[in-house]
């Protein structure tokens, strides 16, 4: 993927839900292990391209899918 | 019926209220696929296989949430069976000096946890007798209500007689009186449409392995979108794969109540069981029609052909028939059905002493035939022949 952001969740259950909603709305995304420097959580987060992250955030908010935060990957 | 079990062709399984058999082939395939192709622990690691496992569990949550009219898939809490789910609901919600209303048609999975809390001096209970068949009314609820009544906890569909409680009315009553409504859907899930929102139900406990056609060891508690989960304490704390830097339990659904590794193999199968029902031509209407047809045929023919046959179930019920045959003990009937005719049925009290007291069959109990969508009229006819031979002593 091009330059990307990751959406971090409190639980991978929510990451799965997010992937489902993003796929339904044709937002390209990828589940990746949570980068260690971002969080000490086990499990995964969702990576989305810079260009689509604002839209992705909008879809998650619309469905009330709680997430921890969004971080731009350097 | 397509051949989907490896039993001898002539084995007849009429014990579907205990657990359904056979399971749809897609259920079996999903279990095997998980165990042979996926394998990993969902939500614990970030690798590809863990993600695949997580996807399976999420799809199951989504299927189940949609099936029961709940918006958030996170409100589906997986457990091992209906009993496990009812224990979480009952012990998670009730506090010192709470009063609970229940019915006389309860399975031990409700009445025993309640009695245990009562015996320890924590709660008090009112058991509503209901009408002759155990069906309760809002009038009875009115007279049982006390200042400290916190919840109405009842069985939706009796596992003894198949009677169905008027859930919509009870839900409305609970909402009006600001009480928590917990419904045991062990028997009704997959037969009677249930919608937590429109019926004002706060929580339902379900078994995945009965009418939803999933594997044993599956079940869950579904919380309505409007219920405040902070009102329910978890019964166990532990690893959830989430908030791993904290030593306190997460406070959000479903993680708060799902410590420990889930039964992913079972859940994979359960998800396909729900899809199997969704794919029936008219969904649950098809299930109901099939069961009513078998039940009607069985009760009508047995009443005519078998001397002393007495049914405790209405002929219009959804495939749970309790009966006795005058002069024969229930254990003799089920043993001969099994040994001589390879027909599986269940005798006794069906874990429901109160219900048998209510219908007047305590302590001997009844013989129960419980049908699934895979049973046929031909099998019912074979059982009728068998009962006639047992009755006539040949
Ligand atoms: C009405 C009812 N409630 C609860 C249960 C318990 O279900 P499980 O065996 O999944 O715990 C049963 C099982 O027969 C039942 O019929």
């Amino acid at each position: 993927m091009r330059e990307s952001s990751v959406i971090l969740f409190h639980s991978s259950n929510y990451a799965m839900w997010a992937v489902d909603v993003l796929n339904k709305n044709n937002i390209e995304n990828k589940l990746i292990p949570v980068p260690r420097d971002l969080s000490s959580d086990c499990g995964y987060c969702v990576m989305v391209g810079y260009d689509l992250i604002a839209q992705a955030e909008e879809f998650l908010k619309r469905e009330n899918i709680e997430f921890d935060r969004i971080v731009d990957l350097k | 019926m397509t051949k989907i079990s490896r039993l001898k062709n002539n084995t007849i399984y009429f014990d579907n209220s205990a657990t359904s058999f056979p399971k749809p082939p897609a259920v079996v395939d999903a279990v095997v696929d998980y165990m042979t192709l996926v394998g990993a622990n969902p939500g614990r690691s970030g690798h590809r296989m863990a993600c695949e496992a997580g996807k399976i569990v999420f799809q199951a949550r989504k299927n189940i949430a949609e099936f029961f009219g709940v918006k958030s898939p996170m409100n589906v809490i997986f457990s091992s069976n209906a009993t496990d789910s009812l224990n979480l609901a009952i012990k998670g919600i009730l506090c010192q000096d709470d009063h609970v209303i229940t019915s006389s048609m309860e399975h031990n999975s409700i009445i025993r946890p309640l009695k245990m809390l009562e015996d320890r001096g924590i709660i008090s209970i009112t058991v509503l007798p209901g009408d002759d068949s155990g069906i309760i009314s809002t009038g009875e609820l009115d007279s049982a209500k006390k200042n400290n009544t916190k919840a109405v906890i009842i069985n939706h569909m009796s596992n003894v007689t198949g009677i169905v409680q008027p859930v919509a009315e009870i839900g409305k009553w609970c909402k009006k009186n600001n009480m928590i409504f917990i419904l045991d859907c062990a028997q009704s899930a997959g037969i009677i449409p249930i919608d937590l929102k429109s019926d004002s139900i706060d929580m339902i406990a379900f078994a995945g392995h009965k009418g939803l056609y999933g594997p044993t060891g599956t079940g869950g508690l579904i919380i309505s979108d409007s219920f405040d989960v902070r009102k329910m304490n978890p019964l166990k704390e532990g690893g959830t794969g989430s908030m791993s830097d904290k030593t306190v339990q997460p406070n959000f659904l479903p993680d708060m109540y799902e410590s420990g590794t889930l039964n992913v193999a079972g859940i994979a199968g359960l998800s396909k069981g729900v899809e199997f029902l969704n794919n029936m031509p008219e969904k649950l209407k098809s299930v109901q029609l099939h069961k009513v047809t078998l039940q009607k045929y069985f009760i009508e023919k047995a009443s005519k052909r078998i001397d002393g046959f007495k049914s405790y179930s209405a002929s219009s019920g959804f495939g749970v028939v309790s009966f006795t045959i005058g002069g024969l003990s229930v254990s003799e009937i089920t043993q001969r059905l099994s040994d001589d005719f390879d027909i599986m049925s269940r005798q006794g009290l069906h874990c429901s002493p109160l219900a048998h007291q209510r219908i007047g069959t305590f302590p001997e109990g009844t013989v129960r035939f419980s049908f699934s969508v895979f049973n046929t009229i031909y099998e019912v006819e074979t059982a009728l022949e068998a009962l006639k031979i047992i009755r006539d002593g040949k």
Side-chain angles (χ1 to χ4, degrees):
Chain A
M1 213 176 270
R2 304 162 300 280
E3 292 179 304
S4 302
S5 305
V6 289
I7 315 171
L8 301 175
F9 299 86
H10 292 302
S11 153
S12 57
N13 286 314
Y14 290 75
M16 286 299 167
W17 190 10
V19 165
D20 187 63
V21 166
L22 295 179
N23 286 345
K24 216 164 40 199
N25 290 288
N26 299 315
I27 305 268
E28 196 190 341
N29 67 83
K30 188 171 191 273
L31 277 169
I32 58 163
V34 175
R36 230 25 223 173
D37 51 332
L38 295 184
S39 163
S40 53
D41 253 3
C42 5
Y44 17 79
C45 59
V46 179
M47 186 164 71
V48 175
Y50 273 160
D51 47 339
L52 293 174
I53 191 70
Q55 269 190 65
E57 185 175 359
E58 189 55 37
F59 284 122
L60 299 195
K61 285 187 171 156
R62 202 180 295 169
E63 299 273 341
N64 283 325
I65 303 177
E66 275 178 47
F67 55 88
D68 177 18
R69 61 203 158 102
I70 295 175
V71 182
D72 293 340
L73 293 183
K74 296 280 160 4
Chain B
M1 186 176 81
T2 45
K3 186 149 169 43
I4 56 174
S5 84
R6 292 197 209 157
L7 290 179
K8 285 180 290 181
N9 252 340
N10 53 357
T11 299
I12 295 177
Y13 185 81
F14 281 166
D15 196 14
N16 291 281
S17 285
T19 197
S20 55
F21 182 86
K23 309 294 182 188
V27 170
V28 180
D29 289 347
V31 173
V32 174
D33 283 354
Y34 167 74
M35 298 203 70
T36 52
L37 299 171
V38 182
N41 198 327
R44 299 298 195 270
S45 321
H47 53 74
R48 179 182 58 76
M49 285 164 69
C51 290
E52 290 302 318
K55 278 182 195 160
I56 290 172
V57 173
F58 174 76
Q59 188 59 45
R61 276 192 220 284
K62 197 172 145 196
N63 285 347
I64 291 166
E66 280 169 11
F67 192 80
F68 292 105
V70 169
K71 243 167 84 192
S72 170
M74 302 298 115
N75 287 32
V76 176
I77 299 163
F78 286 118
S79 69
S80 326
N81 47 45
T83 304
D84 206 20
S85 315
L86 287 164
N87 270 270
L88 168 58
I90 290 170
K91 294 173 189 162
I93 274 176
L94 297 176
C95 307
Q96 187 67 45
D97 297 332
D98 282 340
H99 171 246
V100 174
I101 302 174
T102 187
S103 90
S104 63
M105 297 308 281
E106 299 316 309
H107 189 271
N108 273 339
S109 54
I110 282 185
I111 209 71
R112 282 185 177 167
L114 288 179
K115 281 276 177 207
M116 189 278 288
L117 294 176
E118 186 185 51
D119 288 348
R120 291 188 184 169
I122 298 170
I123 64 164
S124 57
I125 313 169
T126 300
V127 180
L128 302 180
D131 66 10
D132 285 348
S133 59
I135 294 178
I136 64 169
S137 66
T138 51
E140 274 181 292
L141 288 168
D142 278 330
S143 27
K145 189 180 105 180
K146 299 181 186 174
N147 286 338
N148 61 337
T149 309
K150 185 183 245 173
V152 174
I153 308 178
I154 56 161
N155 180 5
H156 189 189
M157 176 174 157
S158 168
N159 54 308
V160 176
T161 63
I163 61 109
V164 177
Q165 297 288 1
V167 165
E169 282 167 46
I170 300 168
K172 224 182 270 167
W173 185 91
C174 288
K175 197 171 178 187
K176 191 176 96 196
N177 290 281
N178 203 18
M179 272 170 211
I180 299 171
F181 183 20
I182 301 170
L183 194 62
D184 173 3
C185 296
Q187 293 299 332
S188 57
I191 300 175
I192 303 172
I194 298 159
D195 186 303
L196 278 86
K197 186 156 192 265
S198 60
D199 291 338
S200 304
I201 308 164
D202 291 295
M203 291 178 203
I204 67 161
F206 69 92
H209 59 100
K210 299 180 195 262
L212 298 177
Y213 295 95
T216 46
T218 59
L221 186 69
I222 306 176
I223 314 273
S224 83
D225 291 302
S226 56
F227 187 79
D228 178 2
V229 292
R230 283 167 303 185
K231 290 186 192 159
M232 185 166 86
N233 290 313
L235 297 193
K236 56 187 185 202
E237 290 80 20
T240 57
S242 52
M243 323 263 313
S244 294
D245 54 331
K246 306 266 190 322
T247 53
V248 294
Q249 188 73 0
N251 61 356
F252 50 82
L253 285 169
D255 302 44
M256 187 172 176
Y257 308 107
E258 272 185 3
S259 293
T261 299
L262 292 172
N263 172 11
V264 189
I267 290 168
L270 169 58
S271 189
K272 294 294 171 188
V274 173
E275 287 176 16
F276 165 77
L277 291 170
N278 282 333
N279 290 336
M280 306 266 299
E282 291 186 77
K283 302 201 166 134
L284 297 191
K285 257 198 204 143
S286 312
V287 176
Q288 292 187 357
L289 182 65
H290 188 85
K291 296 198 179 192
V292 170
T293 306
L294 298 180
Q295 176 150 346
K296 225 177 152 118
Y297 187 88
F298 174 67
I299 292 176
E300 284 177 11
K301 301 286 180 210
S303 306
K304 283 196 196 117
R305 291 192 215 159
I306 297 157
D307 286 343
F309 175 87
K310 179 169 164 57
S311 168
Y312 296 86
S313 304
S315 61
S316 57
F318 299 136
V320 180
V321 187
S322 257
F323 64 91
T324 52
I325 300 177
L328 293 178
S329 83
V330 294
S331 50
E332 184 185 348
I333 298 171
T334 49
Q335 191 187 348
R336 285 210 57 201
L337 281 171
S338 175
D339 289 355
D340 300 348
F341 301 96
D342 212 16
I343 296 171
M344 313 298 143
S345 64
R346 181 167 172 191
Q347 51 100 4
L349 296 174
H350 314 98
C351 298
S352 306
L354 290 187
H356 278 281
Q357 280 164 15
R358 187 75 195 90
I359 65 169
T361 46
F362 187 85
E364 166 83 354
T366 53
V367 179
R368 183 182 72 188
F369 280 3
S370 47
F371 305 123
S372 92
V373 294
F374 296 112
N375 291 125
T376 62
I377 286 278
Y378 174 76
E379 290 178 323
V380 173
E381 186 56 41
T382 307
L384 284 161
E385 292 292 316
L387 288 174
K388 184 146 181 59
I389 293 170
I390 294 169
R391 154 84 276 179
D392 295 346
K394 284 184 210 139

